[in-house]
Coordinates of all heavy atoms in Angstrom, one line a residue:
M1 N 3.8 3.9 -19.0 CA 2.9 2.8 -18.7 C 3.8 1.6 -18.2 O 4.9 1.4 -18.6 CB 2.2 2.3 -19.9 CG 1.2 3.2 -20.4 SD -0.3 3.2 -19.4 CE -1.4 3.9 -20.6
L2 N 3.2 0.9 -17.2 CA 3.9 -0.2 -16.6 C 3.0 -1.4 -16.7 O 1.8 -1.3 -16.4 CB 4.3 0.1 -15.2 CG 5.0 -0.9 -14.3 CD1 6.4 -1.1 -14.8 CD2 5.0 -0.4 -12.9
N3 N 3.5 -2.6 -17.1 CA 2.7 -3.8 -17.2 C 3.3 -4.9 -16.2 O 4.5 -5.2 -16.3 CB 2.7 -4.3 -18.6 CG 1.9 -3.5 -19.5 OD1 0.8 -3.2 -19.3 ND2 2.6 -3.0 -20.6
F4 N 2.4 -5.4 -15.4 CA 2.8 -6.6 -14.5 C 1.7 -7.6 -14.7 O 0.5 -7.3 -14.5 CB 2.8 -6.2 -13.1 CG 4.1 -5.5 -12.6 CD1 4.0 -4.3 -11.9 CD2 5.3 -6.0 -12.8 CE1 5.1 -3.6 -11.4 CE2 6.4 -5.4 -12.4 CZ 6.3 -4.2 -11.7
Y5 N 2.1 -8.8 -15.2 CA 1.2 -9.9 -15.2 C -0.1 -9.6 -16.0 O -1.2 -9.9 -15.5 CB 0.9 -10.5 -13.9 CG 2.1 -10.9 -13.1 CD1 2.7 -10.1 -12.1 CD2 2.8 -12.1 -13.5 CE1 3.8 -10.5 -11.4 CE2 3.9 -12.5 -12.8 CZ 4.4 -11.7 -11.8 OH 5.6 -12.0 -11.2
G6 N 0.0 -8.8 -17.1 CA -1.1 -8.5 -17.9 C -2.0 -7.3 -17.4 O -3.0 -7.0 -18.0
K7 N -1.5 -6.7 -16.3 CA -2.3 -5.5 -15.8 C -1.4 -4.3 -16.1 O -0.2 -4.3 -15.8 CB -2.5 -5.7 -14.3 CG -3.4 -4.6 -13.8 CD -3.9 -4.9 -12.4 CE -4.8 -3.7 -11.9 NZ -5.5 -4.0 -10.7
T8 N -2.1 -3.3 -16.6 CA -1.4 -2.0 -17.0 C -1.6 -1.0 -15.9 O -2.7 -0.7 -15.5 CB -1.9 -1.5 -18.3 OG1 -1.6 -2.5 -19.3 CG2 -1.2 -0.2 -18.8
F9 N -0.5 -0.3 -15.5 CA -0.6 0.8 -14.6 C -0.2 2.1 -15.2 O 0.8 2.1 -16.0 CB 0.4 0.5 -13.4 CG 0.0 -0.8 -12.7 CD1 0.6 -2.0 -13.0 CD2 -0.9 -0.8 -11.7 CE1 0.3 -3.2 -12.4 CE2 -1.3 -2.0 -11.0 CZ -0.7 -3.2 -11.4
T10 N -0.8 3.2 -14.9 CA -0.5 4.5 -15.5 C 0.6 5.1 -14.9 O 1.2 6.0 -15.4 CB -1.8 5.4 -15.5 OG1 -2.2 5.5 -14.1 CG2 -2.9 4.8 -16.3
S11 N 1.0 4.7 -13.7 CA 2.1 5.3 -12.9 C 3.1 4.2 -12.6 O 2.8 3.1 -12.2 CB 1.6 5.9 -11.6 OG 2.7 6.3 -10.8
R12 N 4.4 4.6 -12.7 CA 5.5 3.6 -12.3 C 5.8 3.8 -10.9 O 6.7 3.0 -10.4 CB 6.7 3.8 -13.2 CG 6.4 3.5 -14.7 CD 7.7 3.7 -15.5 NE 8.2 5.1 -15.4 CZ 9.4 5.4 -15.6 NH1 10.3 4.6 -15.9 NH2 9.7 6.7 -15.5
L13 N 5.2 4.7 -10.2 CA 5.5 5.0 -8.8 C 4.9 3.9 -7.9 O 3.7 3.6 -8.0 CB 5.0 6.3 -8.4 CG 5.2 6.8 -6.9 CD1 6.7 6.9 -6.6 CD2 4.5 8.1 -6.7
L14 N 5.7 3.3 -7.0 CA 5.2 2.5 -5.9 C 5.4 3.2 -4.6 O 6.4 3.9 -4.4 CB 6.0 1.2 -5.8 CG 5.8 0.1 -6.9 CD1 6.4 0.5 -8.2 CD2 6.3 -1.2 -6.4
I15 N 4.4 3.2 -3.8 CA 4.4 3.9 -2.5 C 4.1 3.0 -1.3 O 3.3 2.1 -1.5 CB 3.5 5.2 -2.5 CG1 3.7 6.1 -1.3 CG2 2.0 4.7 -2.6 CD1 3.0 7.4 -1.4
G16 N 4.8 3.2 -0.2 CA 4.6 2.4 0.9 C 3.5 2.8 1.8 O 3.0 3.9 1.7
S17 N 3.1 1.9 2.7 CA 1.9 2.2 3.6 C 2.4 2.4 5.0 O 1.6 2.5 5.9 CB 0.9 1.1 3.5 OG 1.4 -0.1 3.9
A18 N 3.7 2.4 5.3 CA 4.2 2.4 6.6 C 4.7 3.8 7.0 O 5.0 4.6 6.2 CB 5.4 1.4 6.8
L19 N 4.7 4.0 8.3 CA 5.3 5.2 9.0 C 4.6 6.5 8.8 O 5.2 7.6 8.9 CB 6.8 5.3 8.6 CG 7.7 4.2 9.0 CD1 9.1 4.4 8.5 CD2 7.7 3.9 10.4
Y20 N 3.4 6.5 8.5 CA 2.6 7.7 8.4 C 2.1 8.0 9.8 O 1.8 7.1 10.6 CB 1.4 7.6 7.4 CG 1.8 7.5 6.0 CD1 2.0 6.3 5.4 CD2 2.1 8.6 5.3 CE1 2.4 6.2 4.1 CE2 2.5 8.6 3.9 CZ 2.7 7.4 3.3 OH 3.1 7.3 2.0
P21 N 1.9 9.3 10.1 CA 1.5 9.7 11.5 C 0.0 9.3 11.8 O -0.3 9.1 12.9 CB 1.6 11.2 11.5 CG 2.3 11.7 10.3 CD 2.3 10.5 9.3
S22 N -0.8 9.1 10.7 CA -2.2 8.7 11.0 C -2.7 8.0 9.7 O -2.1 8.2 8.6 CB -3.1 9.9 11.3 OG -3.3 10.7 10.1
P23 N -3.7 7.2 9.8 CA -4.3 6.6 8.6 C -4.8 7.6 7.6 O -4.7 7.4 6.4 CB -5.4 5.7 9.2 CG -5.0 5.4 10.6 CD -4.3 6.7 11.0
A24 N -5.4 8.7 8.1 CA -5.9 9.7 7.2 C -4.8 10.3 6.4 O -4.9 10.6 5.2 CB -6.7 10.8 7.9
I25 N -3.6 10.6 7.0 CA -2.5 11.2 6.3 C -1.9 10.2 5.3 O -1.5 10.5 4.2 CB -1.4 11.6 7.3 CG1 -1.9 12.9 8.1 CG2 -0.1 12.0 6.6 CD1 -1.0 13.3 9.2
M26 N -1.9 8.9 5.6 CA -1.4 7.9 4.7 C -2.3 7.9 3.5 O -1.8 7.9 2.3 CB -1.5 6.5 5.3 CG -1.1 5.3 4.4 SD -1.6 3.7 4.9 CE -3.4 3.8 4.8
Q27 N -3.6 7.9 3.7 CA -4.6 7.8 2.5 C -4.4 9.1 1.7 O -4.4 9.0 0.5 CB -6.0 7.7 3.1 CG -7.0 7.3 2.0 CD -8.4 7.2 2.6 OE1 -8.8 7.9 3.5 NE2 -9.1 6.2 2.1
A28 N -4.3 10.2 2.3 CA -4.1 11.5 1.5 C -2.8 11.5 0.7 O -2.8 11.9 -0.4 CB -4.2 12.7 2.5
A29 N -1.7 11.0 1.3 CA -0.4 10.9 0.7 C -0.5 10.0 -0.5 O 0.1 10.3 -1.6 CB 0.7 10.5 1.6
I30 N -1.1 8.8 -0.4 CA -1.2 7.9 -1.5 C -2.0 8.5 -2.6 O -1.6 8.4 -3.8 CB -1.8 6.5 -1.0 CG1 -0.8 5.8 0.0 CG2 -2.1 5.6 -2.2 CD1 -1.3 4.6 0.7
R31 N -3.1 9.1 -2.3 CA -4.0 9.8 -3.3 C -3.2 10.9 -4.0 O -3.2 10.9 -5.3 CB -5.2 10.4 -2.7 CG -6.3 9.5 -2.6 CD -7.6 10.2 -2.4 NE -8.7 9.2 -2.2 CZ -9.3 8.9 -1.1 NH1 -9.0 9.6 0.0 NH2 -10.2 8.0 -1.1
A32 N -2.5 11.7 -3.3 CA -1.7 12.8 -3.9 C -0.6 12.3 -4.7 O -0.2 13.0 -5.7 CB -1.2 13.7 -2.7
S33 N 0.0 11.2 -4.4 CA 1.1 10.7 -5.2 C 0.7 10.2 -6.6 O 1.6 10.2 -7.5 CB 1.8 9.5 -4.5 OG 1.0 8.3 -4.6
G34 N -0.5 9.8 -6.8 CA -0.9 9.3 -8.1 C -0.5 7.8 -8.3 O -0.6 7.3 -9.4
A35 N 0.1 7.2 -7.3 CA 0.6 5.8 -7.4 C -0.6 4.9 -7.6 O -1.6 5.1 -7.0 CB 1.4 5.4 -6.2
N36 N -0.3 3.9 -8.4 CA -1.3 2.8 -8.6 C -1.0 1.6 -7.8 O -1.9 0.7 -7.7 CB -1.4 2.4 -10.1 CG -1.8 3.4 -11.0 OD1 -1.1 3.7 -12.0 ND2 -2.9 4.1 -10.8
I37 N 0.2 1.5 -7.2 CA 0.6 0.3 -6.5 C 1.1 0.8 -5.1 O 1.8 1.7 -4.9 CB 1.8 -0.4 -7.2 CG1 1.4 -0.8 -8.6 CG2 2.2 -1.6 -6.4 CD1 2.5 -1.3 -9.5
V38 N 0.6 0.1 -4.1 CA 0.9 0.4 -2.7 C 1.6 -0.9 -2.1 O 1.0 -2.0 -2.2 CB -0.3 0.8 -1.8 CG1 0.0 1.0 -0.4 CG2 -0.9 2.0 -2.4
T39 N 2.7 -0.7 -1.4 CA 3.4 -1.8 -0.8 C 2.8 -1.9 0.6 O 2.6 -1.0 1.3 CB 4.9 -1.7 -0.7 OG1 5.3 -0.6 0.0 CG2 5.5 -1.6 -2.1
V40 N 2.6 -3.2 1.1 CA 2.0 -3.5 2.4 C 2.8 -4.6 3.0 O 3.0 -5.7 2.3 CB 0.5 -3.8 2.3 CG1 0.0 -4.3 3.7 CG2 -0.3 -2.7 1.7
S41 N 3.3 -4.5 4.2 CA 4.1 -5.5 4.8 C 3.1 -6.7 5.1 O 2.0 -6.5 5.5 CB 4.6 -5.0 6.1 OG 5.1 -6.1 7.0
L42 N 3.7 -7.9 4.9 CA 2.8 -9.1 5.2 C 2.4 -9.1 6.7 O 1.3 -9.6 7.0 CB 3.7 -10.4 4.9 CG 3.9 -10.6 3.4 CD1 4.8 -11.8 3.3 CD2 2.6 -10.9 2.7
R43 N 3.2 -8.5 7.6 CA 2.8 -8.5 9.0 C 1.6 -7.6 9.1 O 0.7 -7.9 9.9 CB 4.0 -7.8 9.8 CG 3.7 -7.9 11.3 CD 4.9 -7.4 12.1 NE 6.1 -8.1 11.7 CZ 7.4 -7.5 11.7 NH1 7.5 -6.3 12.2 NH2 8.4 -8.2 11.3
R44 N 1.5 -6.5 8.4 CA 0.3 -5.6 8.5 C -0.8 -6.3 7.8 O -2.0 -6.2 8.3 CB 0.6 -4.3 7.8 CG -0.6 -3.4 7.8 CD -0.3 -2.0 7.3 NE 0.3 -1.2 8.4 CZ 0.4 0.1 8.3 NH1 0.0 0.7 7.3 NH2 1.0 0.7 9.3
E45 N -0.6 -7.0 6.7 CA -1.7 -7.6 6.0 C -2.4 -8.7 6.9 O -3.6 -8.8 6.8 CB -1.1 -8.4 4.8 CG -2.2 -9.1 4.0 CD -1.6 -10.0 2.9 OE1 -0.4 -10.2 2.9 OE2 -2.4 -10.4 2.2
S46 N -1.7 -9.3 7.8 CA -2.3 -10.4 8.6 C -2.9 -9.8 9.8 O -3.5 -10.6 10.6 CB -1.2 -11.4 8.9 OG -0.2 -10.9 9.7
A47 N -2.8 -8.5 10.1 CA -3.4 -7.9 11.3 C -4.9 -8.0 11.2 O -5.5 -7.7 10.2 CB -3.0 -6.5 11.4
G48 N -5.5 -8.5 12.2 CA -6.9 -8.6 12.2 C -7.5 -7.6 13.2 O -6.9 -6.7 13.6
G49 N -8.8 -7.9 13.5 CA -9.4 -7.0 14.5 C -9.8 -5.6 13.9 O -9.7 -5.4 12.7
K50 N -10.1 -4.7 14.8 CA -10.6 -3.4 14.3 C -9.5 -2.6 13.6 O -9.7 -2.0 12.6 CB -11.1 -2.6 15.5 CG -12.4 -3.1 16.1 CD -12.9 -2.3 17.2 CE -14.2 -2.9 17.8 NZ -14.6 -2.1 18.9
T51 N -8.3 -2.7 14.1 CA -7.2 -2.0 13.4 C -6.9 -2.5 12.0 O -6.8 -1.7 11.1 CB -5.9 -2.1 14.3 OG1 -6.2 -1.6 15.6 CG2 -4.8 -1.3 13.7
G52 N -6.8 -3.8 11.9 CA -6.5 -4.4 10.6 C -7.6 -4.1 9.6 O -7.4 -3.8 8.4
D53 N -8.9 -4.3 10.1 CA -10.0 -4.0 9.2 C -10.1 -2.6 8.8 O -10.4 -2.3 7.6 CB -11.3 -4.4 9.9 CG -11.4 -5.9 10.2 OD1 -10.7 -6.7 9.5 OD2 -12.3 -6.3 11.0
A54 N -9.8 -1.7 9.6 CA -9.8 -0.2 9.3 C -8.8 0.1 8.3 O -9.0 0.8 7.3 CB -9.6 0.6 10.5
F55 N -7.6 -0.5 8.4 CA -6.5 -0.3 7.4 C -6.9 -0.7 6.1 O -6.8 0.0 5.1 CB -5.2 -1.0 7.9 CG -4.1 -1.0 6.8 CD1 -3.4 0.1 6.6 CD2 -4.0 -2.1 6.1 CE1 -2.4 0.1 5.7 CE2 -3.0 -2.2 5.1 CZ -2.2 -1.0 4.9
W56 N -7.4 -2.0 6.0 CA -7.8 -2.5 4.7 C -9.0 -1.7 4.1 O -9.1 -1.6 2.9 CB -8.1 -4.0 4.8 CG -6.8 -4.7 4.9 CD1 -6.3 -5.3 6.0 CD2 -5.8 -4.8 3.9 NE1 -5.1 -5.8 5.7 CE2 -4.7 -5.5 4.4 CE3 -5.7 -4.4 2.6 CZ2 -3.6 -5.8 3.7 CZ3 -4.6 -4.7 1.9 CH2 -3.5 -5.4 2.4
S57 N -9.9 -1.2 4.9 CA -11.0 -0.4 4.4 C -10.4 0.9 3.7 O -10.9 1.3 2.6 CB -11.9 0.0 5.5 OG -12.9 0.8 5.1
L58 N -9.4 1.5 4.3 CA -8.8 2.7 3.7 C -8.1 2.4 2.4 O -8.2 3.1 1.4 CB -7.7 3.3 4.7 CG -8.2 4.0 5.9 CD1 -7.1 4.3 6.9 CD2 -9.0 5.2 5.6
I59 N -7.4 1.2 2.4 CA -6.7 0.8 1.1 C -7.7 0.5 0.0 O -7.5 0.9 -1.1 CB -5.8 -0.4 1.4 CG1 -4.7 0.0 2.3 CG2 -5.3 -1.0 0.1 CD1 -3.7 1.0 1.8
R60 N -8.8 -0.2 0.4 CA -9.8 -0.5 -0.7 C -10.4 0.8 -1.3 O -10.7 0.9 -2.5 CB -10.9 -1.3 -0.1 CG -10.6 -2.8 -0.1 CD -11.8 -3.7 0.3 NE -12.3 -3.4 1.6 CZ -11.8 -4.0 2.7 NH1 -10.8 -4.8 2.7 NH2 -12.4 -3.7 3.9
E61 N -10.6 1.8 -0.4 CA -11.2 3.1 -0.9 C -10.3 3.8 -2.0 O -10.7 4.5 -2.8 CB -11.4 4.1 0.2 CG -12.5 3.7 1.1 CD -12.6 4.7 2.3 OE1 -12.0 5.8 2.3 OE2 -13.2 4.3 3.3
L62 N -9.0 3.5 -1.9 CA -8.0 4.1 -2.8 C -8.0 3.5 -4.2 O -7.5 4.0 -5.1 CB -6.6 4.0 -2.2 CG -6.4 4.8 -1.0 CD1 -5.0 4.4 -0.3 CD2 -6.4 6.3 -1.3
D63 N -8.6 2.3 -4.3 CA -8.6 1.6 -5.6 C -7.2 1.4 -6.2 O -7.0 1.8 -7.4 CB -9.6 2.3 -6.6 CG -9.9 1.4 -7.8 OD1 -9.9 0.2 -7.7 OD2 -10.1 2.0 -8.9
V64 N -6.3 0.9 -5.4 CA -4.9 0.6 -5.9 C -4.6 -0.9 -5.8 O -5.4 -1.6 -5.2 CB -3.9 1.4 -5.0 CG1 -4.0 2.9 -5.2 CG2 -4.0 1.0 -3.5
T65 N -3.6 -1.3 -6.5 CA -3.1 -2.6 -6.4 C -2.1 -2.7 -5.2 O -1.3 -1.9 -5.0 CB -2.4 -3.0 -7.7 OG1 -3.3 -3.0 -8.7 CG2 -1.8 -4.4 -7.6
V66 N -2.3 -3.8 -4.4 CA -1.4 -4.0 -3.2 C -0.3 -4.9 -3.6 O -0.5 -6.0 -4.1 CB -2.3 -4.5 -2.1 CG1 -1.4 -4.9 -0.9 CG2 -3.3 -3.5 -1.6
L67 N 0.9 -4.5 -3.3 CA 2.1 -5.4 -3.5 C 2.5 -5.8 -2.1 O 2.9 -5.0 -1.3 CB 3.2 -4.6 -4.2 CG 4.5 -5.3 -4.4 CD1 4.3 -6.5 -5.3 CD2 5.5 -4.4 -5.0
R68 N 2.4 -7.1 -1.8 CA 2.7 -7.6 -0.4 C 4.2 -7.8 -0.3 O 4.8 -8.5 -1.2 CB 1.9 -8.8 -0.2 CG 0.4 -8.6 0.0 CD -0.4 -9.8 -0.3 NE -1.8 -9.6 -0.1 CZ -2.6 -9.2 -1.0 NH1 -2.2 -8.9 -2.2 NH2 -3.9 -9.0 -0.8
T69 N 4.8 -7.3 0.7 CA 6.3 -7.5 0.9 C 6.5 -8.1 2.3 O 5.8 -7.9 3.2 CB 7.0 -6.1 0.9 OG1 6.4 -5.3 1.9 CG2 6.8 -5.4 -0.4
P70 N 7.6 -8.9 2.3 CA 8.0 -9.5 3.6 C 8.4 -8.4 4.6 O 8.9 -7.4 4.1 CB 9.1 -10.4 3.3 CG 9.5 -10.2 1.9 CD 8.5 -9.4 1.3
P71 N 8.2 -8.5 5.9 CA 8.5 -7.5 6.8 C 9.9 -7.0 6.7 O 10.2 -5.8 6.8 CB 8.3 -8.1 8.2 CG 7.3 -9.2 7.9 CD 7.6 -9.7 6.5
A72 N 10.9 -7.8 6.4 CA 12.3 -7.4 6.3 C 12.5 -6.5 5.1 O 13.4 -5.7 5.1 CB 13.2 -8.6 6.2
A73 N 11.7 -6.5 4.1 CA 11.8 -5.7 2.9 C 11.1 -4.3 3.1 O 11.3 -3.4 2.3 CB 11.3 -6.4 1.7
A74 N 10.2 -4.3 4.1 CA 9.4 -3.0 4.3 C 10.3 -1.9 4.8 O 11.3 -2.2 5.6 CB 8.3 -3.3 5.2
A75 N 10.0 -0.7 4.4 CA 10.9 0.4 4.9 C 10.9 0.6 6.4 O 11.8 1.0 7.0 CB 10.3 1.7 4.2
C76 N 9.8 0.2 7.1 CA 9.7 0.3 8.5 C 10.7 -0.5 9.2 O 11.1 -0.3 10.4 CB 8.3 0.0 9.0 SG 7.8 -1.7 8.7
A77 N 11.2 -1.6 8.6 CA 12.2 -2.5 9.2 C 13.6 -1.9 9.0 O 14.6 -2.5 9.6 CB 12.1 -3.9 8.5
R78 N 13.8 -0.8 8.3 CA 15.1 -0.3 8.0 C 15.4 1.0 8.8 O 16.1 1.8 8.4 CB 15.3 0.0 6.6 CG 15.2 -1.2 5.7 CD 15.6 -0.9 4.3 NE 15.2 -2.0 3.5 CZ 14.6 -1.9 2.3 NH1 14.2 -0.8 1.9 NH2 14.3 -3.0 1.6
R79 N 14.9 1.1 10.0 CA 15.2 2.3 10.8 C 16.6 2.4 11.3 O 17.3 1.5 11.6 CB 14.3 2.3 12.0 CG 12.9 2.6 11.6 CD 12.1 2.8 12.8 NE 10.7 2.7 12.5 CZ 9.7 3.0 13.3 NH1 10.0 3.3 14.5 NH2 8.5 2.9 12.9

C-alpha cells in the first residue's frame, strides 16, 4: 500500500502517458499494468481542442490518479 496526502493506493507503480503508438494502446497498457497513478506532462494537460479532450476522456475512463509533471521531467523529453 502507498499513501499520498491521505489517499491510499493499492499499487506502488506509476506509469507514464507518453510515447504510446496510439491512445487505445496507452489505455490498454495502463489497465494491464494495474497502476493507480498515471503521470501526465503539464504540456499535455493544457492541450485543448479535440485531441486534448479525447486524451482526458481516456484517462477518466481508467479511474486513476493523475500526477502532473513538468515537461522536462516527462520521459518524452529524455530522448
Side-chain angles (χ1 to χ4, degrees):
M1 295 282 200
L2 179 66
N3 290 303
F4 281 128
Y5 302 104
K7 186 165 181 172
T8 301
F9 300 94
T10 57
S11 172
R12 295 182 299 155
L13 177 66
L14 283 75
I15 190 167
S17 60
L19 299 178
Y20 290 95
S22 73
I25 291 173
M26 175 198 69
Q27 193 177 41
I30 293 170
R31 274 200 180 106
S33 75
N36 297 128
I37 303 171
V38 176
T39 62
V40 175
S41 166
L42 290 174
R43 188 176 307 153
R44 177 173 278 195
E45 178 188 11
S46 63
K50 291 181 181 178
T51 304
D53 292 343
F55 171 79
W56 286 108
S57 180
L58 289 173
I59 294 295
R60 277 191 297 276
E61 288 176 19
L62 293 168
D63 193 30
V64 294
T65 296
V66 173
L67 178 63
R68 292 158 176 89
T69 60
C76 61
R78 295 190 192 133
R79 289 188 194 185

